[in-house]
Amino acid sequence: MEILWVLMALVMLGFVLLQLSRRRRGAVGLVEPGHPDAADPANYGFAREEELDVRMPGPDQDLLDVLDLVQRSQDYRGAQQLLAGTEAEGERRWQRVQAFAGAASLELRQRPGGVGETPGGQWLRVWRAEAPKDAGGAAVHAEFLVQQAWRTATPGTDEFRIIMEEAKAACGEAALLAPGDPIPYLVELSVARGLGYSREEFEQLWLKILDRAPNHMGAHLAALQYWCEKWHGSRELAYSFAEAAAARAPRGSLLAAMPLFAVFEHLPEVNLVSGFYQSEVVTKAVHGALHAVHSARPDDPMQAHVRHLLVFFLVRGERWAEAMNQLTVIDGHVGALPWTLSADPAAEFAVYRALAVAGYEANGGSPATLPH
């Protein structure tokens, strides 16, 4: 792993930091761990790579405790109680629904079941059977089906469509159980993308969400995917959607960070010009995201999503001190974009963190100068 870490860092340095070493008074470079000149993230109190939690973007100890209990006991009631006590319109409930569904999906993947063997995720099936009118269980089941479609089938195939149609029906059932709950419609946003809803159908779905949770950041991020060029929209439509959300964002809302996500979704696959990340469009989006996290509530669970993406752009834009400021808040968790797109999210995050530390120290920074 150390060799891989060094190789990845050196490749990124060659592409992203070549000009930095030529024009700044402190050259940035990564050397073998343990070398006297090595910049060590541990000096800043950062977690070791193997300690990074890939499950969530930020801390939620209540969720972790309940997940552990449910998976050990295979008793769904802890999950049922946690969701019942979580605000329906809030961001945290959406994250918890996704987490429970993801846990059941991964359990099933690890233990698909066979002769004489109980398949993984059995607790979710028992939940639905014993409490068919429970809105939380219905929402988790719908999201479980969505995740199963993306994990086990290829978009466009009959298998994928069959699972997604089942998920769509499950969303309808969940919505009937809790008419004011936006979660079933948030789950359906992924169904809409997978099944290729027409724009009119998608807009009708989106209006239902706006009626229930107009400033829901998670909903906006899910809807942005539909409008992206790689799915059913274009760069222009995605930018327009994101900028409109930012423009109407109330004070303290993280919606002001939406343009940064739109920029990320339309990055060129290969970009060897570091100046791109210092361009006007990127700089404007980064500033909007920085303003959003600075003005948002400290306990907003979506802050971590924005800060993780900021680390990516700030490192690429050679804004070392600002990247370090974000790292002091989010370090320890890596279950967010852009790291989750990698086969090894922890390793990907560790590379960017090492680059931030190296750049910070090359320009005179140290653990003593970094505010916490």
Side-chain angles (χ1 to χ4, degrees), residues 11-63:
V11 169
M12 290 185 65
L13 279 173
F15 288 158
V16 182
L17 305 175
L18 178 61
Q19 296 183 12
L20 177 74
S21 63
R22 295 175 178 172
R23 70 175 182 266
R24 295 204 174 169
R25 62 186 177 86
V28 175
L30 293 185
V31 296
E32 291 286 347
H35 188 282
D37 294 330
D40 188 356
N43 293 336
Y44 295 84
F46 294 149
R48 294 193 300 270
E49 182 180 327
E50 60 270 21
E51 297 173 338
L52 295 171
D53 191 328
V54 302
R55 296 169 297 178
M56 299 186 302
D60 186 345
Q61 193 58 48
D62 289 341
L63 173 61

Coordinates of all heavy atoms in Angstrom, one line a residue, residues 11-63:
V11 N 2.4 10.7 -9.4 CA 1.6 10.9 -10.7 C 0.9 12.2 -10.6 O 0.9 13.1 -11.5 CB 0.7 9.8 -11.0 CG1 -0.2 10.1 -12.2 CG2 1.5 8.5 -11.4
M12 N 0.2 12.4 -9.5 CA -0.6 13.6 -9.3 C 0.3 14.9 -9.3 O -0.1 15.9 -9.8 CB -1.5 13.5 -8.1 CG -2.6 12.5 -8.2 SD -3.6 12.6 -6.7 CE -4.3 14.2 -6.9
L13 N 1.4 14.7 -8.6 CA 2.3 15.8 -8.6 C 2.8 16.2 -10.0 O 2.9 17.4 -10.3 CB 3.6 15.5 -7.7 CG 3.4 15.6 -6.2 CD1 4.6 15.1 -5.5 CD2 3.1 17.0 -5.8
G14 N 3.0 15.2 -10.8 CA 3.5 15.5 -12.1 C 2.5 16.3 -12.9 O 2.8 17.1 -13.7
F15 N 1.2 16.0 -12.7 CA 0.2 16.6 -13.5 C -0.3 17.9 -12.9 O -0.7 18.8 -13.6 CB -1.0 15.7 -13.6 CG -0.8 14.5 -14.5 CD1 -1.6 13.3 -14.4 CD2 0.2 14.5 -15.5 CE1 -1.4 12.2 -15.2 CE2 0.4 13.5 -16.3 CZ -0.4 12.3 -16.2
V16 N -0.4 17.9 -11.6 CA -1.0 19.1 -10.9 C 0.0 20.1 -10.4 O -0.3 21.3 -10.4 CB -1.9 18.6 -9.8 CG1 -2.7 19.7 -9.1 CG2 -2.9 17.5 -10.3
L17 N 1.1 19.7 -9.9 CA 2.0 20.5 -9.2 C 3.3 20.9 -9.9 O 4.2 21.5 -9.2 CB 2.3 19.9 -7.8 CG 1.1 19.5 -7.0 CD1 1.5 18.8 -5.7 CD2 0.3 20.8 -6.7
L18 N 3.5 20.5 -11.1 CA 4.7 20.7 -11.8 C 5.1 22.2 -11.8 O 6.3 22.6 -11.4 CB 4.7 20.2 -13.2 CG 5.9 20.4 -14.1 CD1 7.1 19.7 -13.5 CD2 5.7 20.0 -15.5
Q19 N 4.2 23.1 -12.2 CA 4.5 24.5 -12.2 C 4.7 25.1 -10.9 O 5.4 26.1 -10.7 CB 3.4 25.2 -13.0 CG 3.3 24.8 -14.5 CD 2.3 25.6 -15.2 OE1 1.8 26.6 -14.7 NE2 1.9 25.1 -16.4
L20 N 4.0 24.5 -9.9 CA 4.2 25.1 -8.5 C 5.6 25.1 -8.1 O 6.1 26.0 -7.5 CB 3.3 24.3 -7.5 CG 3.4 24.7 -6.1 CD1 2.7 26.0 -5.9 CD2 2.8 23.6 -5.2
S21 N 6.3 24.0 -8.3 CA 7.7 23.8 -7.8 C 8.6 24.8 -8.5 O 9.7 25.0 -8.0 CB 8.1 22.4 -8.0 OG 8.1 22.1 -9.4
R22 N 8.2 25.3 -9.7 CA 9.1 26.2 -10.4 C 8.9 27.7 -10.0 O 9.8 28.5 -10.1 CB 8.8 26.1 -11.9 CG 9.1 24.7 -12.5 CD 8.7 24.6 -13.9 NE 9.0 23.4 -14.5 CZ 8.6 23.0 -15.7 NH1 7.9 23.8 -16.4 NH2 9.0 21.8 -16.2
R23 N 7.7 28.0 -9.5 CA 7.4 29.4 -9.3 C 7.3 29.8 -7.9 O 7.2 31.0 -7.6 CB 6.2 29.8 -10.1 CG 4.9 29.3 -9.6 CD 3.8 29.9 -10.4 NE 2.5 29.5 -9.9 CZ 1.8 28.5 -10.4 NH1 2.3 27.8 -11.4 NH2 0.6 28.2 -10.0
R24 N 7.1 28.9 -7.0 CA 7.0 29.2 -5.6 C 8.2 29.1 -4.8 O 9.1 28.2 -5.1 CB 5.8 28.4 -4.9 CG 4.5 28.7 -5.6 CD 3.4 28.4 -4.7 NE 2.1 28.9 -5.3 CZ 0.9 28.6 -4.8 NH1 0.8 27.8 -3.8 NH2 -0.2 29.0 -5.4
R25 N 8.3 29.8 -3.7 CA 9.6 29.8 -3.0 C 9.8 28.5 -2.3 O 11.0 28.1 -2.0 CB 9.6 30.9 -1.9 CG 8.5 30.8 -0.9 CD 8.5 32.0 0.0 NE 7.4 32.0 1.0 CZ 7.5 31.4 2.1 NH1 8.5 30.8 2.5 NH2 6.4 31.5 3.0
G26 N 8.8 27.7 -2.0 CA 8.9 26.4 -1.4 C 8.5 25.3 -2.3 O 7.3 25.3 -2.6
A27 N 9.3 24.5 -2.8 CA 8.9 23.5 -3.7 C 8.2 22.3 -3.0 O 8.5 22.0 -1.9 CB 10.2 22.9 -4.4
V28 N 7.1 21.8 -3.7 CA 6.4 20.7 -3.1 C 6.9 19.4 -3.7 O 7.1 19.3 -4.9 CB 4.9 20.9 -3.5 CG1 4.1 19.7 -3.0 CG2 4.3 22.2 -2.9
G29 N 7.1 18.5 -2.8 CA 7.4 17.1 -3.3 C 7.1 16.1 -2.3 O 7.2 16.3 -1.1
L30 N 6.8 14.9 -2.7 CA 6.5 13.8 -1.8 C 7.7 12.9 -1.9 O 8.2 12.5 -2.9 CB 5.2 13.1 -2.2 CG 3.9 13.9 -2.0 CD1 2.8 13.0 -2.3 CD2 3.8 14.4 -0.6
V31 N 8.1 12.4 -0.7 CA 9.2 11.5 -0.6 C 8.8 10.3 0.1 O 7.6 10.2 0.6 CB 10.4 12.1 0.1 CG1 11.0 13.3 -0.7 CG2 10.1 12.6 1.5
E32 N 9.6 9.3 0.3 CA 9.3 8.1 1.0 C 8.8 8.4 2.4 O 9.5 9.2 3.1 CB 10.5 7.1 1.0 CG 10.9 6.6 -0.4 CD 9.9 5.5 -0.8 OE1 9.1 5.0 0.0 OE2 9.9 5.1 -2.0
P33 N 7.7 7.8 2.9 CA 7.4 7.9 4.3 C 8.5 7.6 5.2 O 9.2 6.6 5.0 CB 6.2 6.9 4.4 CG 5.6 6.8 3.1 CD 6.8 6.9 2.1
G34 N 8.7 8.4 6.2 CA 9.8 8.2 7.1 C 11.1 9.0 6.8 O 12.0 9.1 7.6
H35 N 11.1 9.5 5.6 CA 12.3 10.4 5.2 C 12.2 11.6 6.1 O 11.2 12.2 6.4 CB 12.1 10.8 3.7 CG 13.3 11.5 3.2 ND1 13.6 12.8 3.4 CD2 14.3 11.0 2.4 CE1 14.7 13.1 2.8 NE2 15.2 12.1 2.1
P36 N 13.4 12.2 6.4 CA 13.4 13.4 7.3 C 12.7 14.6 6.7 O 12.2 15.4 7.5 CB 14.9 13.7 7.4 CG 15.6 12.4 7.2 CD 14.7 11.6 6.2
D37 N 12.6 14.6 5.4 CA 11.9 15.8 4.7 C 10.4 15.5 4.4 O 9.7 16.3 3.9 CB 12.6 16.1 3.4 CG 14.0 16.7 3.7 OD1 14.2 17.3 4.7 OD2 14.9 16.5 2.8
A38 N 9.9 14.3 4.8 CA 8.5 13.9 4.5 C 7.6 14.8 5.3 O 7.7 15.0 6.5 CB 8.3 12.5 4.8
A39 N 6.5 15.3 4.6 CA 5.4 15.9 5.3 C 4.5 14.9 5.9 O 3.9 14.1 5.1 CB 4.7 16.9 4.3
D40 N 4.3 14.8 7.1 CA 3.5 13.8 7.8 C 2.2 14.3 8.2 O 2.1 15.1 9.2 CB 4.3 13.2 9.0 CG 3.7 12.0 9.6 OD1 2.6 11.6 9.1 OD2 4.3 11.4 10.5
P41 N 1.1 13.8 7.6 CA -0.3 14.2 8.1 C -0.5 13.9 9.5 O -1.3 14.6 10.2 CB -1.2 13.4 7.2 CG -0.4 13.1 5.9 CD 1.0 12.9 6.4
A42 N 0.1 12.9 10.1 CA -0.1 12.6 11.5 C 0.3 13.7 12.4 O -0.2 13.9 13.5 CB 0.7 11.3 11.9
N43 N 1.2 14.6 12.0 CA 1.7 15.7 12.8 C 0.5 16.7 13.0 O 0.6 17.6 13.9 CB 2.8 16.5 12.1 CG 4.1 15.6 12.0 OD1 4.3 14.7 12.8 ND2 5.0 15.9 11.1
Y44 N -0.5 16.6 12.2 CA -1.7 17.5 12.3 C -2.9 16.8 13.0 O -4.0 17.4 13.1 CB -2.1 18.0 10.9 CG -1.1 18.8 10.3 CD1 0.0 18.2 9.6 CD2 -1.1 20.2 10.3 CE1 1.0 19.0 9.0 CE2 -0.1 21.0 9.7 CZ 0.9 20.4 9.0 OH 1.9 21.1 8.5
G45 N -2.6 15.6 13.5 CA -3.7 14.9 14.2 C -4.6 14.2 13.3 O -5.7 13.7 13.7
F46 N -4.2 14.1 12.0 CA -5.1 13.4 11.1 C -5.0 11.9 11.3 O -4.0 11.3 11.7 CB -4.7 13.7 9.6 CG -4.9 15.2 9.2 CD1 -4.0 15.8 8.3 CD2 -5.9 15.9 9.8 CE1 -4.2 17.1 8.0 CE2 -6.1 17.2 9.4 CZ -5.3 17.8 8.5
A47 N -6.1 11.2 10.9 CA -6.2 9.8 11.1 C -5.3 9.0 10.1 O -5.1 9.5 9.0 CB -7.7 9.3 10.9
R48 N -4.8 7.9 10.5 CA -4.1 7.1 9.5 C -5.0 6.5 8.5 O -6.2 6.4 8.7 CB -3.4 5.9 10.3 CG -2.3 6.3 11.2 CD -1.5 5.1 11.7 NE -2.4 4.1 12.3 CZ -2.6 4.0 13.6 NH1 -2.1 5.0 14.4 NH2 -3.4 3.1 14.1
E49 N -4.5 6.2 7.3 CA -5.3 5.8 6.2 C -6.2 4.6 6.5 O -7.4 4.6 6.2 CB -4.4 5.5 5.0 CG -5.2 5.1 3.7 CD -4.3 4.7 2.6 OE1 -3.2 5.3 2.5 OE2 -4.7 3.8 1.8
E50 N -5.7 3.7 7.2 CA -6.4 2.5 7.6 C -7.5 2.8 8.6 O -8.4 1.9 8.8 CB -5.5 1.4 8.1 CG -4.7 1.7 9.4 CD -3.4 2.3 9.0 OE1 -3.2 2.9 7.9 OE2 -2.5 2.3 9.9
E51 N -7.5 3.9 9.2 CA -8.5 4.3 10.2 C -9.7 5.1 9.6 O -10.7 5.4 10.3 CB -7.9 5.1 11.3 CG -6.9 4.4 12.2 CD -6.1 5.3 13.2 OE1 -6.1 6.5 13.0 OE2 -5.6 4.7 14.1
L52 N -9.5 5.5 8.3 CA -10.5 6.3 7.7 C -11.8 5.6 7.5 O -11.8 4.4 7.0 CB -10.0 6.9 6.4 CG -8.8 7.8 6.4 CD1 -8.3 8.1 5.1 CD2 -9.2 9.1 7.1
D53 N -13.0 6.2 7.9 CA -14.3 5.5 7.8 C -14.8 5.8 6.4 O -15.1 7.0 6.1 CB -15.2 6.0 8.9 CG -16.5 5.2 9.0 OD1 -16.9 4.7 8.0 OD2 -17.0 5.2 10.1
V54 N -15.0 4.8 5.6 CA -15.5 4.9 4.2 C -17.0 4.9 4.1 O -17.6 5.0 3.0 CB -14.9 3.9 3.3 CG1 -13.4 3.9 3.3 CG2 -15.3 2.5 3.7
R55 N -17.7 4.7 5.2 CA -19.1 4.5 5.2 C -19.9 5.8 5.1 O -21.0 5.8 4.5 CB -19.6 3.7 6.4 CG -19.0 2.3 6.5 CD -19.3 1.6 7.8 NE -18.6 2.3 8.9 CZ -18.7 2.0 10.2 NH1 -19.5 1.0 10.5 NH2 -18.1 2.7 11.1
M56 N -19.4 6.8 5.7 CA -20.2 8.0 5.8 C -19.3 9.3 5.6 O -18.1 9.2 5.8 CB -20.8 8.2 7.2 CG -21.8 7.0 7.6 SD -22.6 7.3 9.1 CE -21.2 7.5 10.3
P57 N -19.9 10.4 5.2 CA -19.1 11.6 4.9 C -18.7 12.3 6.2 O -17.7 13.0 6.2 CB -20.1 12.5 4.1 CG -21.4 12.0 4.6 CD -21.3 10.5 4.8
G58 N -19.4 12.1 7.3 CA -19.1 12.7 8.6 C -19.7 11.9 9.7 O -20.3 10.8 9.5
P59 N -19.4 12.3 10.9 CA -19.8 11.5 12.1 C -21.3 11.4 12.3 O -22.0 12.4 12.1 CB -19.1 12.2 13.2 CG -18.9 13.6 12.8 CD -18.7 13.5 11.3
D60 N -21.8 10.3 12.7 CA -23.2 10.1 13.1 C -23.2 8.9 14.0 O -23.5 7.7 13.6 CB -24.2 9.8 11.9 CG -25.6 9.8 12.4 OD1 -25.9 9.6 13.6 OD2 -26.5 9.8 11.5
Q61 N -22.8 9.1 15.3 CA -22.6 8.0 16.2 C -23.8 7.2 16.5 O -23.8 6.0 16.6 CB -21.9 8.5 17.5 CG -21.4 7.4 18.4 CD -20.3 6.6 17.7 OE1 -19.4 7.1 17.1 NE2 -20.4 5.3 17.7
D62 N -25.0 7.9 16.6 CA -26.2 7.2 16.8 C -26.5 6.2 15.7 O -26.9 5.0 15.9 CB -27.4 8.2 16.9 CG -27.4 9.0 18.2 OD1 -26.7 8.6 19.1 OD2 -28.0 10.0 18.2
L63 N -26.2 6.6 14.4 CA -26.4 5.7 13.3 C -25.5 4.5 13.4 O -25.9 3.3 13.2 CB -26.2 6.4 12.0 CG -26.2 5.6 10.7 CD1 -27.6 4.9 10.6 CD2 -25.9 6.4 9.5

